[in-house]
Amino acid sequence: MTSVADAVKKMQEKFNPSAAAGLDLVFGFNITDEDKHYALIVKDGTCDLQEGENPDANCTLVMDAETLKGIVSGETDGMQAFMGGKLRVEGDMMLSMKLSELFPS
């Protein structure tokens, strides 16, 4: 996986629509070392990818590109990255726990 955009697209490919039934959420991604922002918009079983910062994000995950790529590839555990200070959550932290259901590895 070469770029952050590829990693976010990969997440979108792993999307589990049945876990998103009835949801209306925006997950923001702030990639600190590349100064890039993405949003995954989960609504009623669909998932759209948006480039740029989304002011409506329910929760934003702040990390560097390496951490994102590791989490998406399965080499890095998201909870361990959080506990180790490589991943920060802004907004509704409990929503970040839903990511593993919505985007299973």
Side-chain angles (χ1 to χ4, degrees):
M1 209 175 308
T2 53
S3 74
V4 169
D6 291 339
V8 178
K9 283 185 185 121
K10 195 101 173 133
M11 268 188 84
Q12 189 182 20
E13 289 167 15
K14 293 179 175 184
F15 180 64
N16 174 8
S18 61
L23 294 180
D24 186 0
L25 301 170
V26 178
F27 293 98
F29 294 86
N30 176 354
I31 311 307
T32 53
D33 57 335
E34 295 192 7
D35 197 29
K36 297 231 185 221
H37 295 268
Y38 296 92
L40 286 170
I41 300 158
V42 176
K43 188 170 180 144
D44 292 328
T46 65
C47 176
D48 287 317
L49 174 61
Q50 176 186 71
E51 266 193 69
E53 201 165 353
N54 187 314
D56 299 324
N58 300 91
C59 100
T60 300
L61 298 137
V62 182
M63 69 193 100
D64 65 17
E66 220 38 57
T67 302
L68 175 67
K69 292 176 194 173
I71 290 171
V72 172
S73 71
E75 292 169 31
T76 304
D77 177 68
M79 186 56 79
Q80 286 178 336
F82 177 77
M83 296 299 202
K86 291 178 180 243
L87 167 64
R88 193 172 83 240
V89 179
E90 296 174 350
D92 190 337
M93 189 171 293
M94 293 311 290
L95 280 181
S96 65
M97 305 301 248
K98 275 206 123 356
L99 284 168
S100 60
E101 290 170 43
L102 292 167
F103 305 97
S105 44

